């Protein structure tokens, strides 16, 4: 796969709908790539929530983040099996659904962090479960105030009986300033949330940082 840090080789599943796009040399989620490259350093702890095959974990590692400080979360068994083929054994990997309750197949990030490192940067792409995952990470948001990159799926959130407005309200109440972008485009840029109406369909990326005030 072509990235802004050069080519990264992945052992992948050709049945994935974006396989041909990636194999053709098109850059995968360029806005997110650029932000991670600009912001990650050896001092960071990176949570990749919805890791799929580990693309952004490998990018984080190339940015200087020690592999032992990179934590992967992937619920899908097939994706998880492929993830383990692509990342070094020293990275932490958890196969579970990330949400706001703890069970055999579900975890909360707050509970996970109690037994591991607290994140300084967190990327999240979990197909509509992002609000529940953040509700299960409220202590993390208060304690370590990680920089957040959250892919929002308004329709999928609605299918789960929640809303993107609740997600945004949670971040604001936690003291975060929010920008959004169409992260699929190379030069879409970031826009302050207050200056734009959030999309009701499709997907978009939130970039949230804790206000210094």
């Amino acid at each position: 796969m072509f990235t802004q840090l050069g080519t990264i080789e992945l052992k992948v599943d050709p049945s994935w709908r974006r396989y041909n796009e990636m194999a053709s040399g098109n850059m995968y989620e360029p806005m997110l790539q650029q932000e991670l490259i600009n912001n990650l350093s050896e001092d960071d702890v990176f949570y990749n929530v919805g890791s799929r095959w580990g693309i952004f974990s490998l990018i984080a590692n190339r940015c200087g983040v020690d592999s032992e400080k990179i934590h992967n979360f992937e619920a899908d068994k097939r994706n998880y099996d492929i993830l383990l083929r692509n990342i070094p054994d020293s990275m932490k990997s958890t196969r579970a659904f990330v949400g706001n309750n703890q069970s055999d197949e579900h975890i909360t990030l707050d509970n996970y962090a109690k037994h591991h490192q607290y994140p300084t940067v967190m990327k999240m792409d979990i197909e509509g479960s992002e609000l529940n995952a953040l509700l299960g990470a409220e202590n993390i948001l208060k304690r370590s105030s990680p920089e957040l990159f959250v892919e929002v799926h308004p329709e999928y959130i609605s299918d789960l009986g929640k809303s993107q407005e609740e997600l945004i309200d949670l971040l604001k109440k936690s003291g975060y300033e929010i920008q959004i972008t169409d992260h699929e485009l190379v030069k879409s840029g970031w826009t302050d949330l207050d200056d734009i109406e959030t999309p009701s369909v499709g997907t978009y990326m939130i970039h949230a940082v804790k206000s210094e005030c």
Side-chain angles (χ1 to χ4, degrees), residues 80-186:
Y80 187 76
D81 290 342
I82 296 173
L83 169 71
L84 295 183
R85 297 179 212 164
N86 287 305
I87 62 173
D89 293 339
S90 51
M91 285 188 189
K92 309 294 189 300
S93 300
T94 300
R95 184 183 164 221
F97 293 95
V98 176
N100 59 344
N101 62 78
Q102 193 81 20
S103 66
D104 290 341
E105 295 184 349
H106 295 76
I107 65 168
T108 70
L109 293 175
D110 277 344
N111 190 66
Y112 179 89
K114 289 178 184 177
H115 306 285
H116 299 85
Q117 301 156 304
Y118 276 74
T120 60
V121 179
M122 185 157 60
K123 165 257 170 185
M124 185 176 292
D125 180 2
I126 46 177
E127 307 298 315
S129 296
E130 47 268 24
L131 173 57
N132 285 337
L134 290 170
L135 287 170
E138 289 187 274
N139 187 54
I140 288 176
L141 301 185
K142 294 176 183 176
R143 174 170 171 170
S144 63
S145 304
E147 183 175 9
L148 302 174
F149 297 94
V150 181
E151 184 167 321
V152 181
H153 303 74
E155 294 165 289
Y156 294 169
I157 294 177
S158 179
D159 290 342
L160 295 175
K162 306 286 186 178
S163 71
Q164 62 178 325
E165 288 77 18
E166 291 176 86
L167 186 155
I168 290 168
D169 188 54
L170 171 63
L171 292 179
K172 286 184 174 180
K173 287 182 177 178
S174 299
Y176 278 87
E177 296 179 346
I178 302 170
Q179 295 180 311
I180 70 173
T181 191
D182 182 344
H183 56 297
E184 305 287 348
L185 303 178
V186 177

Side-chain angles (χ1 to χ4, degrees), residues 17-34:
R17 63 181 177 83
R18 302 191 70 170
Y19 172 81
N20 290 331
E21 174 188 343
M22 292 173 62
S24 69
N26 291 335
M27 191 174 293
Y28 180 62
E29 298 194 2
M31 287 291 294
L32 178 55
Q33 282 194 38
Q34 188 61 62

